[in-house]
Every structure is written in structure tokens, then in C-alpha cells.
Amino acid sequence: MYGMSGPYVIRGSVSLPEAELMWRFSRSSGPGGQHVNTSDSQVELRFDLAGTGALPEVWKQRALERLEGRLTGGVITVRASEHRSQWRNRETAAVRLAALLAEATAPPPKPRRATRIPRGINERRLREKKQRSETKRGRSARDWG
């Protein structure tokens, strides 16, 4: 039960390389119990994005660009301390890192093609606008008298 649950897939056949993951454990400020002051349940997972060989070059450049604000010297850090067990926090951190990299390496969306608004729709909008203004003008108390 205590083995890490397999490779964390980023996308397709590319997954997080177990050897390149750097783990650090510290006391968590999260929910506690009997061993709260003795167990290092907070997990900090670091991954050297700039120096990895596991990602295709195109993906790596894309990720470096998109995660620029989160990187410290080319290294991305993910923390997890929601769970009381270190093992579950490790799982959470690894899954979170994989999801983050999947999002950062995704291909850019296709550019939107500009289309014209059909004339009928525009005319209908203006007609309804005029109708509404007439309705509101009819409510003014000017002609009551």
C-alpha cells in the first residue's frame, strides 16, 4: 500500500520522471491529531523544469513561458498539506504537479475567426431598442396634466 501509485501522466505517453522529483517534508500547519507535532506531513515537491530531459523541447519552452511567474531558477515547486498522512500529501502534490504541467504544455488554442454579425440581427436589436425607448418615454409624467 505504501508504494507511490505509478507514473503520473502529463499527457499522452509523457509522464513525470520519478528520478527528477525532489521531495522535502516538514511539519504541516494543517489538520492534526496525536502525532501532529512529530510527523513531517507537509510535502514540498520540486521539479527542475529548465533542466529536465523528460519533456519534448516544444513542451518545455511552452511550460517555461507560461509558468514564468511560478518558477524559481527554472524549478517549479508544489506544496501539499491538506491530509494528515505524508503519503496522501505526496500523492496530492504529484497529481497537482502533473496537472499543472499538462495545462502549461497544452497547445495554444486555435485562433478565432472573425465573423460578421448578420444584418437582420442588428436591425432587430435596433428595432427592439427603439421599442423599449418608446415604452419608457410613454411612462414619463409630462403629458399628464
Side-chain angles (χ1 to χ4, degrees), residues 6-136:
Y8 296 96
V9 177
I10 296 173
R11 199 169 54 253
S13 61
V14 181
S15 58
L16 280 176
E18 198 64 53
E20 291 183 31
L21 300 179
M22 296 168 279
W23 298 94
R24 222 176 82 200
F25 308 101
S26 57
R27 296 210 178 118
S28 176
S29 62
Q34 266 179 317
H35 306 290
V36 70
N37 294 326
T38 56
S39 56
D40 292 343
S41 61
Q42 175 170 298
V43 173
E44 187 179 284
L45 173 57
R46 302 177 69 201
F47 179 64
D48 186 1
L49 187 58
T52 186
L55 297 176
E57 200 54 44
V58 184
W59 286 21
K60 192 156 85 169
Q61 288 312 314
R62 211 179 280 156
L64 283 168
E65 213 170 277
R66 290 183 184 167
L67 298 172
E68 197 176 9
R70 282 195 65 162
L71 297 174
T72 316
V75 176
I76 183 118
T77 307
V78 174
R79 271 200 194 87
S81 59
E82 297 84 73
H83 306 292
R84 279 167 57 168
S85 91
Q86 186 191 96
W87 183 74
R88 282 175 70 192
N89 279 332
R90 283 177 69 133
E91 290 283 304
T92 305
V95 167
R96 211 178 281 165
L97 179 63
L100 192 68
L101 288 174
E103 196 178 307
T105 58
K110 287 194 172 77
R112 183 185 174 278
R113 274 212 349 251
T115 56
R116 284 189 54 223
I117 298 171
R119 200 166 86 214
I121 288 178
N122 218 5
E123 284 173 355
R124 187 181 70 198
R125 182 182 64 85
L126 293 172
R127 205 171 39 248
E128 285 172 0
K129 219 174 142 162
K130 197 167 269 164
Q131 184 83 48
R132 185 90 183 125
S133 100
E134 287 296 321
T135 305
K136 287 190 168 193

